[in-house]
């Protein structure tokens, strides 16, 4: 896990930004992988060669239970956004400029590659794959509707739809090929 220092962060949609304080916390460097998930959930199966790929087809409650077994939790929406945007409110983990090259489908949620292997998708804190790979569950939302964060390149194959401020709401029991998660833990 990577430690994210406490402090102010710009969060929210373009034109509707707000500054909030986030306490120090830790967050996984990359999404939870099939192998990591399988160490905790013995019934988890995945195809040969996919041990290092982000785990997917996991509901909000399953992701939450996995994190709890690791003595962690899902990140809040503000924590996820701070880990992705840094303190300067950047649009993408690497800055405010749209990447010149389209994302390679190997980093999408359908054609998976080892978690954390995209050398360009790195936040100011060193957190990887926050603008691509798979959507990620967060602890934000209410009731049956939960918030996901992160880019989903297999849907758009364009960085424009992978901004650090993008969010989606899904039913908590959703299972998709392009939906995974990472864990967080309070620093105190």
């Amino acid at each position: 896990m990577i430690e994210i220092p406490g402090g102010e962060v710009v969060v929210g949609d373009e034109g509707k930004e707000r500054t909030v304080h986030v306490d120090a916390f830790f967050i996984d460097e990359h999404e939870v992988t099939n192998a990591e998930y399988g160490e905790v959930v013995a019934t988890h199966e995945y195809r040969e060669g996919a041990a290092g790929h982000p785990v997917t087809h996991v509901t909000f409650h399953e992701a939450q239970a996995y994190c709890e077994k690791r003595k962690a939790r899902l990140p809040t929406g503000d924590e996820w956004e701070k880990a992705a945007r840094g303190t300067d409110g950047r649009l993408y983990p690497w800055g405010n400029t749209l990447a010149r090259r389209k994302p390679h489908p190997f980093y999408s949620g359908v054609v998976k590659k080892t978690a954390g292997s995209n050398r360009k998708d790195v936040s100011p804190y060193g957190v990887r794959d926050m603008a691509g790979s798979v959507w990620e569950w967060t602890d934000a939302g209410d009731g049956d509707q939960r918030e996901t964060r992160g880019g989903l390149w297999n849907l758009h194959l364009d960085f424009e739809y992978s901004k650090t401020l993008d969010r989606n709401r899904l039913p908590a029991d959703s299972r998709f090929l392009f939906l995974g998660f990472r864990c967080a833990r309070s620093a105190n």
Side-chain angles (χ1 to χ4, degrees), residues 39-65:
E39 289 174 10
V40 174
V41 181
T43 58
H44 178 63
E45 295 180 6
Y46 52 91
R47 66 177 174 75
E48 187 175 334
H53 296 177
V55 67
T56 58
H57 294 285
V58 177
T59 69
F60 169 81
H61 299 292
E62 291 167 340
Q64 195 174 44

Side-chain angles (χ1 to χ4, degrees), residues 7-155:
E8 304 299 309
V9 60
V10 175
V11 298
D13 296 328
E14 291 175 274
K16 298 178 185 176
E17 295 96 348
R18 59 189 167 84
T19 302
V20 298
H21 178 84
V22 175
D23 291 335
F25 67 99
F26 292 88
I27 193 165
D28 286 341
E29 180 181 1
H30 54 76
E31 305 100 337
V32 173
T33 66
N34 280 311
E36 291 167 335
Y37 192 75
E39 289 174 10
V40 174
V41 181
T43 58
H44 178 63
E45 295 180 6
Y46 52 91
R47 66 177 174 75
E48 187 175 334
H53 296 177
V55 67
T56 58
H57 294 285
V58 177
T59 69
F60 169 81
H61 299 292
E62 291 167 340
Q64 195 174 44
Y66 169 88
C67 290
E68 288 173 4
K69 288 180 181 176
R70 283 187 44 204
K71 301 199 180 330
R73 58 179 168 70
L74 290 170
T76 68
D78 290 345
E79 287 173 338
W80 193 99
E81 200 161 331
K82 181 169 185 178
R85 297 183 92 169
T87 58
D88 56 358
R90 42 182 73 191
L91 292 177
Y92 307 97
W94 55 85
N96 291 320
T97 306
L98 191 63
R100 288 185 197 181
R101 300 177 78 188
K102 295 254 187 219
H104 193 284
F106 281 130
Y107 297 112
S108 75
V110 173
V111 183
K112 293 187 182 83
K113 196 164 184 169
T114 303
S117 64
N118 185 341
R119 294 176 297 173
K120 295 180 182 184
D121 188 357
V122 181
S123 83
Y125 299 109
V127 185
R128 305 177 83 75
D129 295 343
M130 297 192 92
S133 189
V134 296
W135 280 344
E136 300 176 23
W137 289 115
T138 70
D139 197 30
D142 50 36
D144 186 46
Q145 293 292 307
R146 307 311 298 190
E147 190 172 279
T148 66
R149 303 302 292 266
L152 175 57
W153 296 347
N154 73 317
L155 181 59

